[in-house]
Coordinates of all heavy atoms in Angstrom, one line a residue:
M6 N 0.8 -1.2 0.0 CA 0.0 0.0 0.0 C 0.9 1.3 0.0 O 1.8 1.4 0.9 CB -0.9 0.0 1.3 CG -2.1 0.8 1.1 SD -3.1 0.7 2.6 CE -3.1 2.3 3.2
S7 N 0.7 2.1 -1.0 CA 1.5 3.3 -1.0 C 0.7 4.5 -0.4 O -0.5 4.7 -0.7 CB 1.9 3.6 -2.4 OG 0.8 4.1 -3.2
E8 N 1.4 5.2 0.4 CA 0.8 6.3 1.1 C 1.5 7.6 0.7 O 2.7 7.7 0.8 CB 0.9 6.1 2.6 CG 0.1 7.0 3.4 CD 0.3 6.7 4.9 OE1 -0.2 5.7 5.4 OE2 0.9 7.5 5.6
K9 N 0.7 8.5 0.2 CA 1.3 9.7 -0.3 C 1.5 10.6 1.0 O 0.6 10.9 1.7 CB 0.4 10.5 -1.2 CG 1.2 11.4 -2.1 CD 0.3 12.0 -3.2 CE 1.1 13.1 -3.9 NZ 0.3 14.1 -4.5
K10 N 2.8 11.0 1.1 CA 3.1 11.8 2.3 C 2.8 13.2 2.1 O 3.3 13.9 1.2 CB 4.6 11.6 2.6 CG 4.8 10.6 3.8 CD 5.9 11.0 4.6 CE 5.7 10.6 6.1 NZ 6.8 10.9 6.9
Q11 N 2.0 13.7 3.0 CA 1.7 15.2 3.0 C 2.7 15.9 3.9 O 3.1 15.3 5.0 CB 0.3 15.4 3.5 CG -0.8 14.9 2.6 CD -0.9 15.7 1.3 OE1 -0.5 16.9 1.3 NE2 -1.4 15.1 0.3
P12 N 3.2 17.0 3.6 CA 4.1 17.8 4.5 C 3.3 18.1 5.8 O 2.2 18.5 5.7 CB 4.5 19.0 3.7 CG 3.5 19.2 2.6 CD 2.9 17.8 2.3
T13 N 3.9 17.9 6.9 CA 3.3 18.3 8.2 C 4.0 19.4 8.9 O 5.2 19.6 8.7 CB 3.2 17.0 9.1 OG1 4.5 16.6 9.4 CG2 2.4 15.9 8.4
R14 N 3.3 20.0 9.7 CA 3.9 21.1 10.6 C 3.3 20.9 12.0 O 2.2 20.3 12.1 CB 3.6 22.5 10.1 CG 4.2 22.8 8.8 CD 5.7 23.0 8.9 NE 6.4 23.4 7.6 CZ 6.8 22.6 6.7 NH1 6.6 21.3 6.9 NH2 7.3 23.0 5.6
T15 N 3.9 21.5 13.0 CA 3.4 21.4 14.3 C 2.6 22.7 14.6 O 3.1 23.8 14.4 CB 4.5 21.2 15.3 OG1 5.3 20.1 15.0 CG2 4.0 21.1 16.7
C16 N 1.4 22.5 15.1 CA 0.6 23.6 15.5 C 1.2 24.2 16.8 O 1.5 23.5 17.8 CB -0.9 23.1 15.8 SG -1.9 24.3 16.6
I17 N 1.3 25.6 16.8 CA 1.9 26.2 18.0 C 1.0 26.2 19.2 O 1.4 26.4 20.3 CB 2.3 27.7 17.6 CG1 1.1 28.5 17.2 CG2 3.4 27.7 16.6 CD1 1.3 30.0 17.2
A18 N -0.3 25.9 19.0 CA -1.2 26.0 20.1 C -1.4 24.6 20.8 O -1.1 24.4 21.9 CB -2.6 26.5 19.6
C19 N -1.7 23.6 20.0 CA -2.0 22.2 20.5 C -0.7 21.4 20.4 O -0.7 20.3 21.0 CB -3.2 21.6 19.9 SG -3.0 21.1 18.2
R20 N 0.3 21.8 19.7 CA 1.6 21.1 19.6 C 1.4 19.8 18.9 O 2.3 18.9 19.0 CB 2.3 20.9 20.9 CG 2.2 22.1 21.9 CD 3.0 23.2 21.4 NE 4.4 23.1 21.9 CZ 5.4 24.0 21.5 NH1 5.1 24.8 20.5 NH2 6.6 23.9 22.0
K21 N 0.3 19.6 18.1 CA 0.2 18.3 17.4 C 0.6 18.5 15.9 O 0.5 19.6 15.4 CB -1.3 17.9 17.4 CG -1.7 17.3 18.6 CD -3.2 16.8 18.5 CE -3.8 16.6 19.9 NZ -5.1 17.1 20.0
Q22 N 1.1 17.5 15.3 CA 1.5 17.5 13.9 C 0.2 17.4 13.1 O -0.7 16.7 13.4 CB 2.4 16.3 13.6 CG 3.7 16.4 14.3 CD 4.9 16.5 13.3 OE1 4.7 16.2 12.1 NE2 6.0 17.0 13.8
N23 N 0.2 18.2 12.0 CA -1.0 18.2 11.2 C -0.5 18.4 9.8 O 0.5 18.9 9.5 CB -1.9 19.3 11.7 CG -3.3 19.1 11.3 OD1 -3.7 18.3 10.4 ND2 -4.2 19.7 12.0
D24 N -1.4 17.9 8.8 CA -1.1 18.2 7.4 C -1.0 19.7 7.2 O -1.9 20.5 7.8 CB -2.2 17.7 6.6 CG -2.0 16.2 6.2 OD1 -1.2 15.6 6.8 OD2 -2.7 15.7 5.3
K25 N -0.1 20.1 6.4 CA 0.1 21.6 6.1 C -1.2 22.2 5.6 O -1.5 23.3 6.0 CB 1.2 21.8 5.1 CG 2.3 22.7 5.6 CD 3.4 22.7 4.5 CE 3.6 24.2 4.2 NZ 4.7 24.3 3.1
R26 N -2.0 21.4 4.9 CA -3.2 22.0 4.3 C -4.3 22.2 5.4 O -5.3 22.9 5.1 CB -3.7 21.1 3.2 CG -4.0 19.7 3.6 CD -4.3 18.8 2.5 NE -4.3 17.5 3.1 CZ -4.8 16.4 2.5 NH1 -5.2 16.4 1.3 NH2 -4.7 15.2 3.1
N27 N -4.1 21.6 6.5 CA -5.1 21.8 7.6 C -4.6 22.9 8.6 O -5.3 23.1 9.6 CB -5.3 20.5 8.4 CG -5.9 19.4 7.5 OD1 -6.7 19.7 6.6 ND2 -5.5 18.2 7.8
L28 N -3.5 23.5 8.2 CA -3.0 24.5 9.1 C -3.0 25.9 8.4 O -3.0 26.0 7.2 CB -1.5 24.2 9.4 CG -1.3 22.9 10.2 CD1 0.1 22.4 10.0 CD2 -1.5 23.1 11.7
V29 N -3.0 26.9 9.2 CA -2.9 28.3 8.7 C -1.6 28.8 9.1 O -1.1 28.6 10.2 CB -4.1 29.2 9.2 CG1 -3.9 30.6 8.7 CG2 -5.4 28.6 8.9
R30 N -0.9 29.5 8.2 CA 0.4 30.0 8.5 C 0.3 31.4 9.1 O -0.6 32.2 8.8 CB 1.2 30.1 7.1 CG 2.6 30.5 7.3 CD 3.4 30.2 6.0 NE 4.8 30.6 6.2 CZ 5.3 31.6 5.5 NH1 4.6 32.3 4.7 NH2 6.6 31.9 5.7
I31 N 1.1 31.6 10.1 CA 1.2 32.9 10.7 C 2.6 33.4 10.4 O 3.6 32.7 10.6 CB 1.0 32.8 12.2 CG1 -0.3 32.2 12.6 CG2 1.1 34.2 12.9 CD1 -0.5 31.8 14.0
V32 N 2.7 34.7 9.9 CA 4.0 35.2 9.6 C 4.3 36.4 10.4 O 3.5 37.3 10.6 CB 3.9 35.6 8.0 CG1 5.2 36.4 7.7 CG2 3.9 34.3 7.2
K33 N 5.6 36.4 10.8 CA 6.1 37.6 11.5 C 7.0 38.3 10.5 O 8.0 37.7 10.1 CB 6.9 37.1 12.7 CG 7.4 38.3 13.5 CD 8.2 37.8 14.7 CE 8.7 38.9 15.6 NZ 9.7 39.8 15.0
S34 N 6.6 39.5 10.2 CA 7.5 40.3 9.3 C 8.2 41.3 10.2 O 8.1 41.2 11.5 CB 6.7 41.0 8.3 OG 5.9 42.0 8.9
E35 N 9.0 42.2 9.6 CA 9.6 43.2 10.5 C 8.7 44.1 11.2 O 9.0 44.6 12.3 CB 10.6 44.0 9.6 CG 11.9 43.3 9.4 CD 12.8 44.0 8.4 OE1 12.8 45.3 8.5 OE2 13.5 43.3 7.7
T36 N 7.5 44.3 10.6 CA 6.6 45.2 11.2 C 5.4 44.6 11.9 O 4.9 45.2 12.9 CB 6.0 46.2 10.1 OG1 5.6 45.3 9.0 CG2 7.1 47.1 9.6
D37 N 5.0 43.5 11.5 CA 3.8 42.9 12.2 C 3.7 41.4 12.1 O 4.5 40.7 11.5 CB 2.5 43.6 11.8 CG 2.2 43.3 10.3 OD1 3.0 42.7 9.7 OD2 1.2 43.7 9.8
I38 N 2.7 40.9 12.8 CA 2.4 39.5 12.8 C 1.0 39.3 12.2 O 0.1 40.0 12.7 CB 2.5 38.9 14.2 CG1 3.9 38.9 14.7 CG2 1.9 37.5 14.2 CD1 4.1 38.5 16.1
R39 N 0.9 38.5 11.2 CA -0.5 38.3 10.6 C -0.7 36.9 10.1 O 0.3 36.2 9.9 CB -0.7 39.4 9.5 CG 0.3 39.2 8.4 CD -0.1 40.1 7.3 NE 0.4 41.5 7.4 CZ 0.2 42.4 6.5 NH1 -0.4 42.2 5.4 NH2 0.7 43.6 6.7
L40 N -1.9 36.6 9.8 CA -2.3 35.3 9.2 C -1.9 35.4 7.7 O -2.1 36.4 7.1 CB -3.7 35.0 9.4 CG -4.2 34.7 10.8 CD1 -5.7 34.5 10.8 CD2 -3.5 33.4 11.3
D41 N -1.4 34.3 7.2 CA -1.0 34.2 5.8 C -1.8 33.1 5.2 O -1.3 31.9 5.1 CB 0.5 34.0 5.7 CG 0.9 33.7 4.3 OD1 0.2 34.1 3.4 OD2 2.0 33.2 4.2
F42 N -3.0 33.3 4.7 CA -3.8 32.3 4.1 C -3.2 31.8 2.8 O -3.5 30.6 2.4 CB -5.3 32.7 3.9 CG -6.0 32.9 5.2 CD1 -6.3 34.1 5.8 CD2 -6.5 31.7 5.9 CE1 -7.0 34.2 6.9 CE2 -7.2 31.8 7.0 CZ -7.5 33.1 7.6
S43 N -2.4 32.6 2.2 CA -1.8 32.2 0.9 C -0.6 31.3 1.1 O -0.3 30.5 0.3 CB -1.4 33.4 0.1 OG -0.2 34.0 0.7
G44 N 0.0 31.4 2.3 CA 1.2 30.6 2.6 C 2.4 31.1 1.9 O 3.4 30.4 1.8
R45 N 2.3 32.3 1.3 CA 3.5 32.7 0.5 C 4.1 34.1 0.9 O 4.9 34.6 0.2 CB 3.0 32.9 -1.0 CG 2.9 31.6 -1.7 CD 2.7 31.8 -3.2 NE 1.4 32.2 -3.5 CZ 0.4 31.3 -3.8 NH1 0.6 30.1 -3.9 NH2 -0.8 31.7 -4.1
M46 N 3.7 34.6 2.1 CA 4.2 35.8 2.5 C 5.6 35.6 3.1 O 6.0 34.6 3.6 CB 3.3 36.4 3.6 CG 2.2 37.2 3.0 SD 0.9 37.6 4.2 CE 1.9 38.2 5.5
N47 N 6.4 36.7 2.9 CA 7.8 36.6 3.4 C 7.8 36.8 4.9 O 7.0 37.6 5.5 CB 8.7 37.7 2.8 CG 9.0 37.4 1.4 OD1 9.2 36.2 1.0 ND2 9.1 38.4 0.5
G48 N 8.8 36.2 5.6 CA 8.9 36.4 7.0 C 9.0 35.1 7.7 O 9.0 34.0 7.0
R49 N 9.2 35.1 9.0 CA 9.3 33.9 9.8 C 7.9 33.3 10.0 O 7.0 34.0 10.4 CB 9.9 34.3 11.1 CG 10.5 33.1 11.8 CD 11.4 33.5 12.9 NE 11.4 32.5 13.9 CZ 11.7 32.7 15.2 NH1 12.1 33.8 15.6 NH2 11.7 31.6 16.0
G50 N 7.7 32.1 9.7 CA 6.4 31.5 9.8 C 6.2 30.5 11.0 O 7.1 29.9 11.5
A51 N 5.0 30.5 11.4 CA 4.6 29.5 12.4 C 3.2 28.9 11.9 O 2.6 29.5 11.0 CB 4.4 30.1 13.8
Y52 N 2.8 27.8 12.4 CA 1.6 27.2 11.9 C 0.6 27.0 13.1 O 1.0 26.6 14.2 CB 1.9 25.9 11.2 CG 2.5 26.2 9.9 CD1 3.9 26.3 9.8 CD2 1.8 26.3 8.7 CE1 4.6 26.6 8.6 CE2 2.4 26.5 7.5 CZ 3.8 26.6 7.4 OH 4.4 26.9 6.3
I53 N -0.7 27.1 12.7 CA -1.7 26.8 13.7 C -2.9 26.1 13.0 O -3.1 26.3 11.8 CB -2.2 28.1 14.3 CG1 -3.2 27.9 15.5 CG2 -2.9 29.1 13.3 CD1 -3.4 29.0 16.4
C54 N -3.5 25.2 13.7 CA -4.6 24.4 13.1 C -5.7 25.4 12.6 O -5.9 26.4 13.2 CB -5.3 23.5 14.1 SG -4.2 22.2 14.8
N55 N -6.3 25.0 11.5 CA -7.4 25.8 11.0 C -8.6 25.5 11.8 O -9.6 24.9 11.4 CB -7.7 25.5 9.5 CG -8.6 26.5 8.9 OD1 -9.1 27.4 9.5 ND2 -8.8 26.3 7.6
D56 N -8.6 26.0 13.1 CA -9.6 25.6 14.1 C -9.6 26.7 15.1 O -8.6 27.0 15.7 CB -9.2 24.2 14.7 CG -10.2 23.7 15.7 OD1 -11.0 24.5 16.2 OD2 -10.1 22.5 16.0
I57 N -10.8 27.2 15.3 CA -10.9 28.3 16.3 C -10.5 27.9 17.7 O -10.0 28.7 18.5 CB -12.3 28.9 16.3 CG1 -12.4 30.2 17.1 CG2 -13.4 27.9 16.7 CD1 -11.6 31.4 16.6
A58 N -10.6 26.7 18.0 CA -10.2 26.2 19.3 C -8.7 26.4 19.6 O -8.3 26.8 20.6 CB -10.6 24.7 19.5
C59 N -7.9 26.2 18.5 CA -6.5 26.4 18.6 C -6.1 27.8 18.6 O -5.2 28.2 19.3 CB -5.8 25.6 17.4 SG -5.6 23.9 17.8
V60 N -6.9 28.6 17.9 CA -6.7 30.1 18.0 C -6.9 30.6 19.4 O -6.1 31.4 19.9 CB -7.6 30.8 16.9 CG1 -7.4 32.3 17.1 CG2 -7.2 30.4 15.5
E61 N -8.0 30.2 20.0 CA -8.3 30.5 21.4 C -7.2 30.1 22.3 O -6.7 30.8 23.2 CB -9.6 29.9 21.8 CG -10.8 30.3 21.0 CD -11.5 31.6 21.5 OE1 -10.9 32.3 22.3 OE2 -12.6 31.9 21.0
K62 N -6.7 28.9 22.1 CA -5.7 28.3 22.9 C -4.4 29.1 22.8 O -3.7 29.3 23.7 CB -5.4 26.8 22.5 CG -4.7 26.0 23.5 CD -4.7 24.6 23.0 CE -4.8 23.6 24.1 NZ -5.0 22.2 23.6
C63 N -4.1 29.5 21.5 CA -2.9 30.2 21.2 C -2.9 31.6 22.0 O -1.9 32.0 22.5 CB -2.9 30.5 19.7 SG -1.8 31.8 19.2
I64 N -4.1 32.2 22.0 CA -4.3 33.5 22.7 C -4.1 33.3 24.2 O -3.4 34.0 24.9 CB -5.7 34.1 22.4 CG1 -5.8 34.4 20.9 CG2 -5.9 35.3 23.3 CD1 -7.2 34.8 20.5
K65 N -4.7 32.3 24.7 CA -4.7 32.0 26.2 C -3.2 31.7 26.6 O -2.8 32.2 27.7 CB -5.6 30.8 26.5 CG -6.8 31.2 27.3 CD -7.4 29.9 27.8 CE -8.8 30.2 28.5 NZ -9.6 29.1 28.6
S66 N -2.6 30.9 25.9 CA -1.2 30.4 26.3 C -0.1 31.3 25.7 O 1.1 31.1 26.0 CB -1.0 29.0 25.8 OG -1.0 29.0 24.4
K67 N -0.5 32.4 25.0 CA 0.4 33.3 24.4 C 1.5 32.5 23.6 O 2.7 32.7 23.7 CB 1.1 34.2 25.4 CG 0.2 35.1 26.2 CD 1.0 36.1 26.9 CE 0.2 37.0 27.8 NZ -0.7 37.9 27.0
A68 N 0.9 31.6 22.8 CA 1.8 30.7 22.0 C 2.7 31.5 21.0 O 3.8 31.0 20.7 CB 1.0 29.7 21.3
L69 N 2.3 32.6 20.6 CA 3.1 33.4 19.6 C 4.4 33.9 20.3 O 5.4 34.0 19.6 CB 2.3 34.5 19.0 CG 1.2 34.2 18.0 CD1 0.5 35.5 17.6 CD2 1.8 33.5 16.8
N70 N 4.3 34.3 21.5 CA 5.5 34.7 22.2 C 6.6 33.6 22.1 O 7.7 33.9 21.9 CB 5.2 35.0 23.7 CG 4.2 36.2 23.9 OD1 3.4 36.4 23.0 ND2 4.4 37.0 24.9
R71 N 6.1 32.4 22.3 CA 7.0 31.3 22.3 C 7.5 31.0 20.9 O 8.7 30.8 20.7 CB 6.3 30.0 22.9 CG 7.1 29.4 24.0 CD 6.4 28.1 24.5 NE 5.0 28.3 24.8 CZ 3.9 27.6 24.4 NH1 4.1 26.7 23.5 NH2 2.7 27.9 24.8
A72 N 6.6 31.0 20.0 CA 6.9 30.7 18.6 C 7.9 31.7 18.0 O 8.8 31.3 17.2 CB 5.6 30.6 17.7
F73 N 7.7 32.9 18.3 CA 8.6 33.9 17.7 C 9.6 34.5 18.7 O 10.3 35.5 18.4 CB 7.7 35.1 17.1 CG 6.9 34.6 16.0 CD1 5.5 34.8 16.0 CD2 7.4 34.0 14.9 CE1 4.7 34.4 14.9 CE2 6.7 33.6 13.8 CZ 5.3 33.8 13.8
S74 N 9.7 33.9 19.9 CA 10.6 34.4 20.9 C 10.6 35.9 21.1 O 11.7 36.6 21.1 CB 12.0 34.0 20.6 OG 12.1 32.6 20.2
C75 N 9.4 36.4 21.2 CA 9.4 37.9 21.5 C 8.1 38.2 22.2 O 7.2 37.3 22.4 CB 9.4 38.7 20.2 SG 8.0 38.5 19.1
N76 N 7.9 39.4 22.7 CA 6.7 39.8 23.4 C 5.7 40.3 22.4 O 5.8 41.3 21.8 CB 7.1 40.8 24.5 CG 5.9 41.1 25.4 OD1 5.1 40.2 25.7 ND2 5.8 42.3 25.9
V77 N 4.6 39.5 22.3 CA 3.6 39.8 21.3 C 2.4 40.5 22.1 O 1.9 40.0 23.0 CB 3.1 38.6 20.6 CG1 2.0 38.9 19.6 CG2 4.2 37.9 19.9
E78 N 2.1 41.7 21.6 CA 1.0 42.5 22.3 C -0.3 41.8 22.2 O -0.6 41.1 21.2 CB 1.0 43.9 21.7 CG 2.2 44.7 22.1 CD 2.2 46.0 21.3 OE1 1.1 46.6 21.0 OE2 3.3 46.5 20.9
A79 N -1.2 42.1 23.2 CA -2.5 41.5 23.2 C -3.3 41.9 21.9 O -4.1 41.1 21.4 CB -3.3 42.0 24.4
G80 N -3.1 43.1 21.4 CA -3.8 43.6 20.3 C -3.5 42.7 19.0 O -4.4 42.5 18.2
V81 N -2.3 42.2 19.0 CA -1.9 41.3 17.9 C -2.8 40.0 17.9 O -3.3 39.5 16.9 CB -0.4 41.0 17.9 CG1 -0.1 39.9 16.9 CG2 0.4 42.2 17.7
Y82 N -2.9 39.5 19.1 CA -3.7 38.3 19.3 C -5.2 38.5 18.9 O -5.8 37.7 18.2 CB -3.6 37.8 20.7 CG -2.3 37.1 21.0 CD1 -1.3 37.8 21.7 CD2 -2.1 35.8 20.7 CE1 -0.1 37.1 22.0 CE2 -0.9 35.1 21.0 CZ 0.0 35.8 21.6 OH 1.2 35.2 22.0
D83 N -5.7 39.7 19.3 CA -7.1 40.1 19.0 C -7.3 40.1 17.5 O -8.3 39.6 17.0 CB -7.4 41.4 19.6 CG -7.5 41.3 21.1 OD1 -7.6 40.2 21.7 OD2 -7.5 42.4 21.8
K84 N -6.3 40.8 16.8 CA -6.4 41.0 15.4 C -6.3 39.6 14.7 O -7.0 39.4 13.7 CB -5.3 41.9 14.9 CG -5.1 42.1 13.5 CD -5.5 43.5 13.1 CE -5.6 43.8 11.6 NZ -5.3 42.7 10.7
L85 N -5.5 38.7 15.2 CA -5.3 37.4 14.6 C -6.6 36.7 14.6 O -7.0 36.0 13.6 CB -4.3 36.7 15.5 CG -3.4 35.7 14.7 CD1 -2.5 36.4 13.8 CD2 -2.6 34.8 15.7
K86 N -7.3 36.7 15.8 CA -8.6 36.0 15.9 C -9.6 36.6 14.9 O -10.4 35.9 14.3 CB -9.1 36.1 17.3 CG -10.3 35.3 17.6 CD -10.8 35.4 19.0 CE -12.1 34.8 19.2 NZ -12.6 35.0 20.6
E87 N -9.6 37.9 14.9 CA -10.5 38.6 14.0 C -10.3 38.2 12.5 O -11.2 37.9 11.8 CB -10.2 40.1 14.1 CG -11.4 41.0 14.2 CD -11.0 42.5 14.5 OE1 -10.5 43.1 13.6 OE2 -11.0 42.9 15.7
D88 N -9.0 38.2 12.1 CA -8.7 37.9 10.8 C -9.0 36.4 10.5 O -9.4 36.0 9.4 CB -7.2 38.1 10.5 CG -6.9 39.6 10.4 OD1 -7.8 40.4 10.4 OD2 -5.7 39.9 10.4
F89 N -8.8 35.6 11.5 CA -9.1 34.1 11.3 C -10.5 33.9 11.0 O -10.9 33.2 10.1 CB -8.6 33.4 12.6 CG -8.9 31.9 12.5 CD1 -7.9 31.1 12.0 CD2 -10.1 31.4 13.0 CE1 -8.2 29.7 11.9 CE2 -10.3 30.0 12.9 CZ -9.3 29.2 12.4
L90 N -11.4 34.6 11.8 CA -12.8 34.4 11.6 C -13.2 35.0 10.3 O -14.0 34.4 9.6 CB -13.6 35.1 12.8 CG -13.4 34.5 14.2 CD1 -14.0 35.3 15.3 CD2 -14.0 33.1 14.2
A91 N -12.7 36.2 10.0 CA -13.0 36.8 8.7 C -12.5 35.9 7.5 O -13.3 35.7 6.6 CB -12.3 38.2 8.6
G92 N -11.3 35.4 7.6 CA -10.8 34.5 6.6 C -11.6 33.3 6.3 O -11.7 32.8 5.2
N93 N -12.2 32.8 7.4 CA -12.9 31.5 7.3 C -14.4 31.8 6.8 O -15.1 30.8 6.6 CB -12.9 30.8 8.6 CG -11.7 29.9 8.7 OD1 -11.4 29.1 7.8 ND2 -10.9 30.1 9.7
N94 N -14.7 33.0 6.7 CA -16.1 33.3 6.3 C -16.1 33.7 4.8 O -17.1 34.0 4.2 CB -16.7 34.5 7.1 CG -17.1 34.1 8.4 OD1 -17.5 32.9 8.6 ND2 -17.1 35.0 9.4
Q95 N -15.0 33.7 4.2 CA -14.9 34.1 2.8 C -15.5 33.1 1.9 O -15.4 31.9 2.1 CB -13.4 34.3 2.4 CG -13.0 35.8 2.6 CD -11.5 35.9 2.5 OE1 -10.8 35.1 1.9 NE2 -11.0 37.0 3.1
Ligands
ZN18 ZN1 -3.8 22.9 16.9

């Protein structure tokens, strides 16, 4: 039985490995941190499950601070959630 291997990444919130296509990329550029639904933005990337539960978890545990080794302001997390919800309504 041949199994096609999908690239996987670890979600920064639940720390589980997931198929890349089930994850949303988060990019840290020099100026801000934002969701990258295209997966093609420049910058340092982290991945989170395409699941609001993981977004909530990420906010609660301040997972971005860990992922990007910096102090991420609360407003960034709020915006992330907003964008996540908006992106999933498209
Ligand atoms: Zn997750």
Side-chain angles (χ1 to χ4, degrees):
M6 203 176 116
S7 74
E8 190 180 288
K9 205 175 172 205
K10 260 217 148 178
Q11 293 291 334
T13 61
R14 294 288 182 275
T15 304
C16 168
I17 58 166
C19 67
R20 320 290 270 173
K21 280 182 200 141
Q22 295 245 339
N23 205 337
D24 274 14
K25 236 177 125 179
R26 59 187 170 171
N27 296 329
L28 296 156
V29 179
R30 189 164 177 248
I31 302 170
V32 169
K33 181 182 187 293
S34 67
E35 277 172 38
T36 47
D37 63 358
I38 292 174
R39 62 170 85 177
L40 289 176
D41 172 22
F42 287 104
S43 74
R45 282 192 283 269
M46 275 165 51
N47 285 325
R49 197 168 153 199
Y52 289 85
I53 189 163
C54 300
N55 192 356
D56 183 341
I57 188 65
C59 278
V60 175
E61 300 273 13
K62 199 176 218 170
C63 161
I64 294 168
K65 248 190 188 162
S66 65
K67 295 193 186 296
L69 287 178
N70 293 34
R71 235 183 303 128
F73 295 125
S74 315
C75 69
N76 190 30
V77 179
E78 287 170 38
V81 171
Y82 284 99
D83 290 344
K84 175 112 190 353
L85 212 70
K86 186 178 168 184
E87 226 171 77
D88 289 351
F89 180 86
L90 294 171
N93 275 306
N94 283 335
Q95 270 168 17

